[in-house]
């Protein structure tokens, strides 16, 4: 017997009310005999399931039923309500309605003891419309198209969306790019003129291992950095303590970073308070970047 099916039957009855046994059997693709056994199991667990006869008869749950700790413990209820409350942006505008319904079912209220904001102090969240459009395109397996801004230009892309990802204060969409004929990551903040197309796709989305490594397949290289103490707050925010060596006047960090434009732009964000010590070839490239920046500001 499937515990998952039992909970789905319970949720379905809570949401839809009186339902014929035959209809439940069709929905869950089992026999009516199996549904009767499931109902007996729910009744044995203390769920007040009733039946009614007649043209509009069927199975229903007694009015005013509350999911008690025979299904969820008090701690589990609190965790569910807190998660919905603090990740309401991901769940769209219906989150409050869902929160209210579950609060009523659990006969409790979400305790507002924590707040989660998935942005930094400067970054604006992607619009709810874009986020929801992509979410439903993923669920419906529909191709999306958009204009995408990258290095110095914009391109028109059509992708088969797989997953929304959140990394380093930014949202990304991961999918199969029909222009590049490969899987790609796209930052939502760089997307314009998003459109969900009628085109459906059947590509298997069993790409969890690819997604997990998507941010790390960027030619990571070991680097040695020396930071002034004046930026110690950022160093301890952004690096693991095991990577940090505390000197008298400096913090030495040995870590791995992508050897692309990200590395130099990241170092420049520290201004004069960081020095790239190793590797030598990247140090020399960084010196050229600094000279080019200096040249733009040099005046007689």
């Amino acid at each position: 017997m499937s515990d998952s099916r039992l909970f789905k039957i319970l949720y379905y009855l809570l949401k839809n009310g009186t339902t014929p046994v035959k209809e439940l059997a069709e929905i869950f693709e089992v026999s009516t005999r199996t549904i009767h056994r499931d109902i007996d199991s729910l009744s044995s667990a203390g769920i007040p399931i009733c039946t009614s006869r007649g043209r509009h008869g069927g199975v229903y749950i007694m009015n005013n039923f509350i999911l008690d700790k025979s299904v969820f413990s008090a701690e589990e209820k609190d965790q569910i309500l807190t998660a919905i409350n603090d990740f309401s942006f991901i769940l769209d505008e219906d989150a409050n309605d869902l929160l209210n319904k579950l609060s009523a079912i659990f006969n409790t209220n979400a305790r507002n003891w924590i707040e989660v904001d998935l942005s930094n102090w400067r970054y604006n969240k992607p619009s709810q419309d874009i986020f929801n459009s992509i979410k439903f395109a993923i669920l419906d397996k529909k191709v999306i198209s958009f204009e995408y801004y990258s290095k110095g230009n914009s391109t028109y892309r059509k992708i088969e969306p797989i997953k929304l990802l959140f990394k380093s204060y930014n949202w990304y969409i991961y999918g199969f790019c029909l222009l590049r004929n490969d899987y790609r990551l796209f930052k939502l903040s760089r997307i314009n003129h998003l459109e969900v197309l009628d085109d459906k796709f059947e590509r298997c989305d069993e790409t969890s291992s690819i997604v997990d490594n998507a941010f790390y397949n960027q030619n990571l290289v070991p680097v040695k950095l020396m930071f002034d103490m004046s930026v110690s707050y950022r160093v301890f925010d952004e690096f693991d303590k095991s990577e940090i060596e505390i000197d008298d006047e400096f913090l030495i960090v040995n870590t791995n970073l992508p050897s692309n434009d990200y590395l130099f732009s990241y170092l420049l964000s520290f201004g004069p308070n960081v020095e790239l010590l190793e590797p030598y070839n990247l140090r020399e490239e960084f010196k050229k970047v600094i000279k080019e920046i200096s040249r733009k500001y040099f005046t007689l």
Side-chain angles (χ1 to χ4, degrees):
M1 185 179 296
S2 169
D3 290 339
S4 174
R5 188 176 66 248
L6 291 179
F7 183 79
K8 289 177 181 177
I9 291 173
L10 173 60
Y11 178 78
Y12 187 87
L13 293 176
L14 284 169
K15 181 180 179 182
N16 297 280
T18 304
T19 307
V21 170
K22 184 178 179 181
E23 182 178 329
L24 288 173
E26 292 174 353
I27 291 169
F28 296 101
E29 299 179 343
V30 294
S31 66
T32 56
R33 179 177 296 180
T34 297
I35 292 295
H36 281 296
R37 284 202 300 266
D38 289 347
I39 291 170
D40 288 341
S41 297
L42 289 170
S43 296
S44 299
I47 309 297
I49 292 187
C50 306
T51 58
S52 60
R53 298 181 180 276
R55 182 178 177 183
H56 300 291
V59 182
Y60 65 94
I61 295 176
M62 188 179 295
N63 290 339
N64 301 320
F65 167 65
I66 302 298
L67 281 179
D68 61 22
K69 60 186 177 183
S70 64
V71 180
F72 293 114
S73 68
E75 182 180 355
E76 288 170 334
K77 295 176 191 175
D78 193 48
Q79 289 172 348
I80 291 171
L81 294 176
T82 298
I84 293 171
N85 185 49
D86 291 314
F87 288 88
S88 57
F89 177 77
I90 299 174
L91 297 170
D92 69 38
E93 64 274 8
D94 294 329
N96 286 334
D97 187 42
L98 175 60
L99 188 64
N100 291 333
K101 286 180 180 178
L102 283 178
S103 294
I105 290 173
F106 292 158
N107 196 26
T108 186
N109 292 314
R111 289 181 287 174
N112 191 20
W113 63 275
I114 187 173
E115 184 169 337
V116 177
D117 186 351
L118 300 180
S119 65
N120 63 24
W121 295 108
R122 297 177 293 105
Y123 176 68
N124 292 322
K125 297 174 183 177
S127 76
Q128 191 76 59
D129 289 341
I130 288 179
F131 191 93
N132 284 339
S133 294
I134 293 176
K135 178 180 75 172
F136 290 119
I138 293 171
L139 297 176
D140 295 339
K141 285 186 171 291
K142 287 189 173 182
V143 175
I144 61 175
S145 67
F146 50 84
E147 182 182 15
Y148 191 70
Y149 290 90
S150 55
K151 297 179 181 178
N153 56 23
S154 64
T155 54
Y156 176 77
R157 302 295 184 104
K158 291 173 68 174
I159 73 166
E160 299 172 356
I162 304 297
K163 284 187 178 181
L164 280 161
L165 301 169
F166 185 78
K167 178 75 173 179
S168 299
Y169 308 114
N170 287 288
W171 282 103
Y172 297 81
I173 175 63
Y174 179 80
F176 189 83
C177 177
L178 299 177
L179 177 65
R180 305 302 185 200
N181 198 35
D182 198 3
Y183 290 95
R184 289 288 191 273
L185 278 170
F186 301 93
K187 188 180 288 188
L188 262 61
S189 60
R190 299 179 185 175
I191 287 176
N192 248 344
H193 308 303
L194 176 75
E195 184 179 356
V196 179
L197 306 178
D198 292 331
D199 304 351
K200 302 276 284 188
F201 64 91
E202 298 298 330
R203 193 180 304 277
C204 180
D205 62 358
E206 294 178 0
T207 56
S208 58
S209 60
I210 298 175
V211 172
D212 292 341
N213 294 321
F215 289 99
Y216 301 99
N217 294 333
Q218 304 185 60
N219 191 24
L220 293 181
V221 294
V223 296
K224 186 174 184 178
L225 309 171
M226 183 169 68
F227 295 92
D228 292 346
M229 281 294 185
S230 61
V231 291
S232 60
Y233 64 97
R234 276 194 63 184
V235 174
F236 283 102
D237 278 348
E238 299 173 24
F239 296 98
D240 191 274
K241 289 183 179 178
S242 64
E243 299 176 320
I244 303 170
E245 178 185 339
I246 302 176
D247 203 346
D248 291 337
E249 299 180 16
F250 302 99
L251 295 173
I252 307 298
V253 174
N254 288 280
T255 188
N256 295 303
L257 291 172
S259 62
N260 53 28
D261 291 344
Y262 168 83
L263 173 60
F264 295 157
S265 61
Y266 178 68
L267 294 179
L268 287 169
S269 72
F270 288 92
N273 299 309
V274 64
E275 182 179 350
L276 174 58
L277 301 178
E278 298 175 6
Y280 178 79
N281 65 313
L282 286 181
R283 178 182 170 89
E284 292 301 302
E285 285 184 42
F286 192 39
K287 284 167 63 176
K288 293 178 183 177
V289 171
I290 295 171
K291 286 181 180 179
E292 181 62 22
I293 294 173
S294 177
R295 186 187 65 79
K296 290 181 180 294
Y297 289 91
F298 178 77
T299 57
L300 292 176

